């Protein structure tokens, strides 16, 4: 397996330490125009394909078609003063787990565990940004991975578009891209993975596509939802 690919997989295995459940009271309802609703009881059901679609081209994990449901449970977790809203995750193939939404100062982030990889923390969107807006953040607490610098770059690609997902057309969609970059052995930063997210105002995340070295490996699409 490619050495840099092993580095990517190692990155995905990093978990954020020092968490404390129920650090805050039940979260207040998010506004109706939120791109990442956190209201208690809201739920989303997705079809998750890893190397299962005709367009998927990198068999990193192997063929898997899953159904995954996310439900806001009203609890919060404190990751070293990084307060997240807890999301119950039920996977048909992998069972139960917890994901985390973080919304603060217009920055919308997703922290999610994908066994056997662990937690990733990705800033999906700055919802006041315009097309072309780019920002850099670190997906790890110490800005390094295996003693090599790591960073992620988010870009707003499209705004206010209509997008059809599983037969439904969603309005007011924002499309963002995140490039994961690693500087291995001082050779300079280069892209190893990219994530495309489509978020619809009032609905949340409707599609996620993951590529490794430019080749599609995963597509997750919204089947139905119940936003409170």
């Amino acid at each position: 397996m490619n050495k840099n690919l092993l580095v990517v997989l190692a990155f995905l295995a990093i978990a954020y330490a020092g968490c404390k459940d129920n650090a805050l009271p039940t979260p207040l309802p998010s506004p109706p125009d939120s791109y990442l609703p956190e209201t208690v009881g809201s739920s989303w059901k997705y079809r998750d394909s890893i190397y299962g679609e005709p367009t998927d081209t990198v068999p990193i994990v192997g063929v898997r078609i899953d159904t995954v449901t996310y439900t806001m449970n009203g609890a919060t977790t404190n990751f070293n003063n990084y307060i997240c809203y807890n999301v119950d995750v039920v996977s048909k193939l992998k069972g139960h787990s917890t994901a985390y939404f973080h919304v603060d100062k217009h920055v919308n982030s997703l922290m999610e565990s994908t066994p056997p990889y662990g937690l990733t923390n990705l800033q999906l969107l700055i919802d006041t940004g315009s097309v072309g807006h780019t920002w850099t953040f670190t997906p790890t607490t110490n800005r390094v991975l295996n003693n090599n610098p790591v960073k992620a770059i988010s870009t707003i690609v499209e705004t206010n578009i209509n997008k059809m997902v599983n037969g439904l057309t969603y309005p007011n969609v924002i499309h963002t891209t995140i490039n994961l970059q690693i500087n291995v052995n001082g050779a300079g930063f280069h892209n190893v993975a990219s994530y495309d997210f489509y978020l619809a105002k009032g609905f949340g995340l409707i599609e996620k596509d993951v590529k490794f070295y430019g080749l599609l490996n995963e597509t997750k699409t919204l089947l139905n939802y119940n936003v409170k």
Side-chain angles (χ1 to χ4, degrees):
M1 182 178 289
N2 185 288
K3 178 180 178 181
N4 289 336
L5 181 54
L6 291 174
V7 173
V8 175
L9 298 182
F11 158 75
L12 294 174
I14 291 179
Y16 282 68
C19 63
K20 181 180 180 182
D21 288 334
N22 301 315
L24 291 178
T26 299
L28 295 175
S30 58
D33 60 350
S34 173
Y35 285 93
L36 201 62
E38 316 92 39
T39 42
V40 179
S42 293
S43 63
W44 301 264
K45 184 177 181 180
Y46 296 91
R47 181 181 188 272
D48 190 17
S49 167
I50 294 184
Y51 198 61
E53 307 288 0
T55 52
D56 297 349
T57 48
V58 178
I60 294 175
V61 176
V63 174
R64 186 183 71 204
I65 305 294
D66 199 359
T67 302
V68 186
T69 301
Y70 293 71
T71 304
M72 304 302 303
N73 67 15
T76 60
T77 299
N78 184 344
F79 292 92
N80 294 330
N81 296 319
Y82 189 84
I83 309 301
C84 297
Y85 300 127
N86 293 12
V87 188
D88 289 329
V89 182
V90 180
S91 163
K92 182 178 179 181
L93 298 181
K94 298 178 292 184
H96 294 256
S97 62
T98 303
Y100 307 90
F101 289 173
H102 178 79
V103 181
D104 183 50
K105 297 179 181 178
H106 298 284
V107 179
N108 298 252
S109 303
L110 171 65
M111 186 183 295
E112 188 173 22
S113 178
T114 309
Y117 304 138
L119 290 175
T120 58
N121 186 21
L122 299 176
Q123 293 185 6
L124 311 182
L125 171 67
I126 295 178
D127 57 32
T128 55
S130 56
V131 173
H133 181 66
T134 298
W135 67 99
T136 301
F137 64 95
T138 177
T140 65
T141 56
N142 59 2
R143 299 180 182 272
V144 298
L145 172 65
N146 295 338
N147 297 318
N148 294 307
V150 59
K151 65 181 180 179
I153 302 173
S154 290
T155 302
I156 298 178
V157 180
E158 301 173 285
T159 61
N160 299 319
I161 66 172
N162 294 330
K163 183 171 178 60
M164 180 177 288
V165 176
N166 290 320
L168 293 177
T169 298
Y170 296 87
N172 300 317
V173 174
I174 292 182
H175 171 203
T176 65
T177 296
I178 299 176
N179 287 319
L180 174 67
Q181 298 188 344
I182 298 176
N183 185 347
V184 179
N185 298 325
F189 282 101
H190 64 280
N191 292 339
V192 290
S194 65
Y195 306 78
D196 283 274
F197 295 98
Y198 296 85
L199 298 107
K201 182 181 291 187
F203 298 98
L205 179 64
I206 62 173
E207 181 171 334
K208 167 189 171 185
D209 302 307
V210 183
K211 296 179 181 178
F212 291 98
Y213 294 98
L215 300 176
L216 184 64
N217 176 250
E218 178 185 9
T219 298
K220 179 182 288 184
T221 54
L222 185 63
L223 292 172
N224 56 62
Y225 57 88
N226 180 18
V227 177
K228 301 293 186 180

